[in-house]
Amino acid sequence: MAPRPQHDDGGTATETAAEKKLQKPRMYKVLLHNDDYTTREFVVAVLMSVFYRSEAEALAIMLHVHNNGVGVAGVYPHDIARTKIQKTEALAREHEYPLRLSMEPEDT
Ligand code: TYC
């Protein structure tokens, strides 16, 4: 007879509350929205300074958003995503730009 596994296989059906604490946090996409007033330079600058993107990545994300209306700045746990949105929108308001961001769960 085949031996039965002694330990949980990591599947979700039999996971306990203690095991759940060891799971990865749900991740959220931070979405950047296009507008007609925020400068390309400002968007690239915040992608580099707030989202730690390289200049080449920042430029590619900015152009994607400019051309498609929306794009992903990064993927983070909920609190970090929320903080990055707040920081970026605060910087934008200081410069009187209408730049908007939002977040959505990664797996939907
Ligand atoms: N569309 C803006 C312009 O042409 C640039 C821009 C890109 C603004 C991305 C916002 O999320 C944005 N100046």
Side-chain angles (χ1 to χ4, degrees), residues 32-41 43 47 61-67 69-70 99-100:
L32 190 58
H33 299 270
N34 190 38
D35 68 71
D36 292 338
Y37 304 101
T38 307
T39 64
R40 293 173 178 226
E41 291 75 16
V43 176
L47 285 167
I61 293 167
M62 182 280 293
L63 284 174
H64 175 90
V65 174
H66 177 73
N67 289 321
V70 65
L99 185 64
R100 296 312 309 248

Short mmCIF file of all heavy atoms in Angstrom, two decimals, residues 32-41 43 47 61-67 69-70 99-100, ligand 1:
data_model
loop_
_atom_site.label_atom_id
_atom_site.label_comp_id
_atom_site.label_asym_id
_atom_site.label_seq_id
_atom_site.Cartn_x
_atom_site.Cartn_y
_atom_site.Cartn_z
N LEU A 32 -1.67 53.55 -12.96
CA LEU A 32 -1.42 54.95 -13.27
C LEU A 32 -2.37 55.31 -14.42
O LEU A 32 -2.48 54.55 -15.39
CB LEU A 32 0.04 55.05 -13.71
CG LEU A 32 0.72 56.38 -13.91
CD1 LEU A 32 0.68 57.21 -12.63
CD2 LEU A 32 2.16 56.13 -14.33
N HIS A 33 -3.05 56.46 -14.29
CA HIS A 33 -4.04 56.87 -15.30
C HIS A 33 -3.54 58.05 -16.11
O HIS A 33 -2.93 58.98 -15.55
CB HIS A 33 -5.36 57.20 -14.61
CG HIS A 33 -5.94 56.03 -13.87
ND1 HIS A 33 -6.80 55.13 -14.45
CD2 HIS A 33 -5.72 55.57 -12.61
CE1 HIS A 33 -7.11 54.18 -13.58
NE2 HIS A 33 -6.46 54.43 -12.45
N ASN A 34 -3.83 58.04 -17.39
CA ASN A 34 -3.41 59.14 -18.25
C ASN A 34 -4.26 60.38 -18.01
O ASN A 34 -5.40 60.29 -17.53
CB ASN A 34 -3.55 58.72 -19.72
CG ASN A 34 -2.90 59.72 -20.65
OD1 ASN A 34 -1.85 60.28 -20.33
ND2 ASN A 34 -3.50 59.97 -21.80
N ASP A 35 -3.69 61.53 -18.28
CA ASP A 35 -4.44 62.79 -18.35
C ASP A 35 -3.71 63.68 -19.34
O ASP A 35 -2.63 63.33 -19.83
CB ASP A 35 -4.54 63.45 -16.96
CG ASP A 35 -3.20 63.94 -16.45
OD1 ASP A 35 -2.68 64.94 -16.99
OD2 ASP A 35 -2.64 63.32 -15.53
N ASP A 36 -4.33 64.83 -19.66
CA ASP A 36 -3.77 65.70 -20.71
C ASP A 36 -2.83 66.77 -20.17
O ASP A 36 -2.28 67.55 -20.95
CB ASP A 36 -4.90 66.39 -21.49
CG ASP A 36 -5.71 65.41 -22.32
OD1 ASP A 36 -5.18 64.33 -22.64
OD2 ASP A 36 -6.87 65.74 -22.65
N TYR A 37 -2.67 66.87 -18.84
CA TYR A 37 -1.97 68.02 -18.25
C TYR A 37 -0.66 67.69 -17.55
O TYR A 37 0.26 68.52 -17.54
CB TYR A 37 -2.91 68.75 -17.28
CG TYR A 37 -4.18 69.19 -17.96
CD1 TYR A 37 -5.36 68.47 -17.80
CD2 TYR A 37 -4.19 70.29 -18.80
CE1 TYR A 37 -6.53 68.84 -18.45
CE2 TYR A 37 -5.36 70.67 -19.46
CZ TYR A 37 -6.52 69.95 -19.28
OH TYR A 37 -7.67 70.32 -19.93
N THR A 38 -0.60 66.52 -16.92
CA THR A 38 0.64 66.14 -16.23
C THR A 38 1.74 65.94 -17.27
O THR A 38 1.50 65.32 -18.31
CB THR A 38 0.44 64.84 -15.42
OG1 THR A 38 -0.70 65.00 -14.57
CG2 THR A 38 1.67 64.52 -14.58
N THR A 39 2.92 66.48 -17.01
CA THR A 39 3.99 66.37 -18.02
C THR A 39 4.58 64.96 -18.02
O THR A 39 4.59 64.26 -17.00
CB THR A 39 5.12 67.38 -17.76
OG1 THR A 39 5.75 67.08 -16.52
CG2 THR A 39 4.59 68.81 -17.73
N ARG A 40 5.08 64.58 -19.17
CA ARG A 40 5.77 63.28 -19.30
C ARG A 40 6.94 63.21 -18.32
O ARG A 40 7.20 62.17 -17.71
CB ARG A 40 6.29 63.10 -20.73
CG ARG A 40 5.19 62.98 -21.76
CD ARG A 40 5.79 62.99 -23.14
NE ARG A 40 4.77 62.82 -24.16
CZ ARG A 40 4.88 61.98 -25.20
NH1 ARG A 40 5.97 61.26 -25.37
NH2 ARG A 40 3.90 61.88 -26.07
N GLU A 41 7.68 64.31 -18.19
CA GLU A 41 8.86 64.35 -17.33
C GLU A 41 8.48 64.09 -15.87
O GLU A 41 9.19 63.37 -15.16
CB GLU A 41 9.55 65.71 -17.44
CG GLU A 41 10.23 65.98 -18.77
CD GLU A 41 9.27 66.31 -19.93
OE1 GLU A 41 8.07 66.63 -19.67
OE2 GLU A 41 9.70 66.23 -21.09
N VAL A 43 5.85 62.41 -14.75
CA VAL A 43 5.45 61.00 -14.59
C VAL A 43 6.70 60.11 -14.51
O VAL A 43 6.79 59.24 -13.64
CB VAL A 43 4.51 60.57 -15.74
CG1 VAL A 43 4.19 59.07 -15.63
CG2 VAL A 43 3.23 61.39 -15.71
N LEU A 47 7.84 57.83 -11.22
CA LEU A 47 8.05 56.38 -11.38
C LEU A 47 9.44 55.99 -10.89
O LEU A 47 9.63 54.91 -10.31
CB LEU A 47 7.84 55.97 -12.84
CG LEU A 47 6.37 55.93 -13.27
CD1 LEU A 47 6.26 55.82 -14.80
CD2 LEU A 47 5.63 54.76 -12.61
N ILE A 61 6.81 52.73 -19.07
CA ILE A 61 5.51 52.72 -18.37
C ILE A 61 4.74 54.00 -18.71
O ILE A 61 3.55 53.96 -19.03
CB ILE A 61 5.71 52.59 -16.85
CG1 ILE A 61 6.28 51.21 -16.51
CG2 ILE A 61 4.39 52.82 -16.10
CD1 ILE A 61 6.81 51.08 -15.08
N MET A 62 5.44 55.15 -18.66
CA MET A 62 4.79 56.43 -18.97
C MET A 62 4.20 56.41 -20.38
O MET A 62 3.04 56.82 -20.59
CB MET A 62 5.80 57.57 -18.79
CG MET A 62 5.24 58.96 -19.05
SD MET A 62 5.11 59.39 -20.80
CE MET A 62 6.84 59.46 -21.24
N LEU A 63 4.98 55.93 -21.35
CA LEU A 63 4.50 55.90 -22.75
C LEU A 63 3.32 54.94 -22.90
O LEU A 63 2.37 55.22 -23.64
CB LEU A 63 5.64 55.51 -23.70
CG LEU A 63 6.65 56.63 -23.98
CD1 LEU A 63 7.81 56.10 -24.81
CD2 LEU A 63 5.97 57.82 -24.70
N HIS A 64 3.38 53.80 -22.20
CA HIS A 64 2.26 52.85 -22.24
C HIS A 64 0.99 53.53 -21.73
O HIS A 64 -0.08 53.39 -22.35
CB HIS A 64 2.59 51.60 -21.41
CG HIS A 64 1.44 50.65 -21.31
ND1 HIS A 64 1.24 49.64 -22.22
CD2 HIS A 64 0.39 50.60 -20.45
CE1 HIS A 64 0.13 48.99 -21.90
NE2 HIS A 64 -0.40 49.55 -20.83
N VAL A 65 1.09 54.25 -20.61
CA VAL A 65 -0.09 54.91 -20.04
C VAL A 65 -0.57 56.02 -20.98
O VAL A 65 -1.78 56.16 -21.23
CB VAL A 65 0.23 55.47 -18.64
CG1 VAL A 65 -0.94 56.29 -18.10
CG2 VAL A 65 0.57 54.33 -17.69
N HIS A 66 0.37 56.79 -21.52
CA HIS A 66 0.02 57.87 -22.45
C HIS A 66 -0.74 57.30 -23.65
O HIS A 66 -1.71 57.89 -24.12
CB HIS A 66 1.31 58.58 -22.89
CG HIS A 66 1.09 59.65 -23.91
ND1 HIS A 66 0.53 60.88 -23.59
CD2 HIS A 66 1.36 59.69 -25.24
CE1 HIS A 66 0.47 61.63 -24.68
NE2 HIS A 66 0.95 60.93 -25.70
N ASN A 67 -0.31 56.14 -24.15
CA ASN A 67 -0.92 55.56 -25.37
C ASN A 67 -2.16 54.72 -25.10
O ASN A 67 -3.00 54.58 -25.99
CB ASN A 67 0.12 54.69 -26.09
CG ASN A 67 1.22 55.53 -26.73
OD1 ASN A 67 0.94 56.60 -27.27
ND2 ASN A 67 2.45 55.06 -26.66
N GLY A 69 -4.01 54.77 -21.87
CA GLY A 69 -4.95 55.32 -20.88
C GLY A 69 -4.66 54.87 -19.47
O GLY A 69 -4.97 55.60 -18.52
N VAL A 70 -4.10 53.67 -19.30
CA VAL A 70 -3.82 53.15 -17.95
C VAL A 70 -2.68 52.15 -18.05
O VAL A 70 -2.46 51.55 -19.12
CB VAL A 70 -5.11 52.52 -17.35
CG1 VAL A 70 -5.56 51.29 -18.12
CG2 VAL A 70 -4.92 52.20 -15.87
N LEU A 99 -2.72 64.27 -11.91
CA LEU A 99 -2.37 62.84 -12.00
C LEU A 99 -3.16 61.98 -11.01
O LEU A 99 -3.24 62.30 -9.83
CB LEU A 99 -0.87 62.69 -11.75
CG LEU A 99 -0.29 61.28 -11.93
CD1 LEU A 99 -0.41 60.83 -13.37
CD2 LEU A 99 1.17 61.26 -11.49
N ARG A 100 -3.74 60.88 -11.50
CA ARG A 100 -4.52 59.97 -10.66
C ARG A 100 -3.95 58.55 -10.72
O ARG A 100 -3.48 58.11 -11.77
CB ARG A 100 -5.99 59.89 -11.12
CG ARG A 100 -6.78 61.16 -11.01
CD ARG A 100 -6.68 61.89 -9.68
NE ARG A 100 -6.92 61.07 -8.50
CZ ARG A 100 -7.96 61.21 -7.70
NH1 ARG A 100 -8.88 62.13 -7.95
NH2 ARG A 100 -8.08 60.44 -6.64
N1 TYC B 1 -0.54 62.48 -21.43
C1 TYC B 1 0.45 63.29 -20.76
C2 TYC B 1 1.06 64.31 -21.73
O1 TYC B 1 0.97 64.14 -22.92
C3 TYC B 1 1.59 62.43 -20.18
C4 TYC B 1 1.09 61.50 -19.13
C5 TYC B 1 1.50 60.17 -19.14
C6 TYC B 1 0.24 61.93 -18.10
C7 TYC B 1 1.10 59.28 -18.15
C8 TYC B 1 -0.18 61.05 -17.11
O2 TYC B 1 -0.15 58.87 -16.15
C9 TYC B 1 0.25 59.72 -17.14
N2 TYC B 1 1.70 65.33 -21.20
#
